[in-house]
Amino acid sequence: MKDNKGNPLRLSSLNHISLVCKSVEESADFYQNVLGFVPVRRPGSFDFDGAWLFGHGIGIHLLQSDDPEKMPKKTVINPKDNHISFQCENMAMVEKKLVEMGIDLVRQRVEEGGVHVEQLFFHDPDGFMIEICNCDNIPMIPLAGEVVHSCSRINLQPQQIHLPVVQP
């Protein structure tokens, strides 16, 4: 265990988050048309309603609530609430589009050492908090050791693969 202290389970990545919904159809529409996720096939052996979506390197599994009327509805947008965050390149464009879609949001700005991070917070149809930010502006710095670069810039850089050219 000592050899693997920083990653004792040897995890490789986040695979998906799972969200219980009042309406799988309404939530799937939101995640597709607002956040750009695409539907993917889910196992046919499941005996409950749901949908799987994929985008931005993560899966979202939507599960139909057994009792949608009893699900609490969050109306106050609280940036300190549980949420998932997505990195973007153009905060002004994202905010403009969200406003055009009629989505209520809260804007925040974080400053660290002269670096500014813009954040937009809003709810999905079931009140789950979504954040969109340019958080990549602030490097990930472990409390001990060397700098860890933001994973979004490392993982999203296009990789060129050079294949040998075969002459006919």
Side-chain angles (χ1 to χ4, degrees):
M1 276 294 236
K2 282 186 177 181
D3 295 339
N4 219 2
K5 188 176 182 184
N7 187 4
L9 301 179
R10 299 179 186 234
L11 303 177
S12 59
S13 66
L14 178 63
N15 181 270
H16 70 273
I17 63 168
S18 187
L19 301 171
V20 176
C21 309
K22 288 182 184 178
S23 166
V24 167
E25 293 77 19
E26 185 179 346
S27 292
D29 181 69
F30 173 87
Y31 282 95
Q32 289 175 70
N33 295 316
V34 175
L35 297 176
F37 281 77
V38 296
V40 295
R41 195 165 131 197
R42 72 190 276 265
S45 61
F46 286 154
D47 62 354
F48 54 91
D49 291 334
W52 283 11
L53 303 144
F54 186 81
H56 318 291
I58 186 174
I60 294 188
H61 296 182
L62 303 175
L63 309 172
Q64 180 62 51
S65 170
D66 291 334
D67 195 352
E69 298 308 315
K70 288 191 177 175
M71 285 185 63
K73 175 69 173 167
K74 291 185 181 179
T75 55
V76 176
I77 299 172
N78 177 0
K80 295 181 192 174
D81 203 350
N82 295 328
H83 63 273
I84 187 168
S85 179
F86 296 95
Q87 175 72 26
C88 82
E89 298 296 323
N90 186 333
M91 291 297 292
M93 182 274 304
V94 168
E95 183 172 7
K96 180 177 186 265
K97 290 206 179 259
L98 289 171
V99 169
E100 287 172 359
M101 291 180 202
I103 295 174
D104 292 331
L105 58 87
V106 168
R107 181 186 319 117
Q108 277 198 184
R109 186 174 199 205
V110 176
E111 187 272 332
E112 177 67 25
V115 176
H116 298 277
V117 170
E118 304 296 328
Q119 301 169 297
L120 299 172
F121 294 90
F122 54 96
H123 288 142
D124 78 358
D126 296 293
F128 183 72
M129 182 75 67
I130 309 290
E131 173 190 2
I132 298 182
C133 68
N134 58 358
C135 297
D136 225 11
N137 291 347
I138 295 179
M140 294 289 173
I141 302 172
L143 296 178
E146 59 186 64
V147 172
V148 175
H149 299 285
S150 173
C151 55
S152 64
R153 288 207 177 158
I154 291 171
N155 293 336
L156 295 179
Q157 290 296 324
Q159 296 180 3
Q160 294 181 349
I161 299 173
H162 300 284
L163 300 174
V165 176
V166 178
Q167 298 294 330

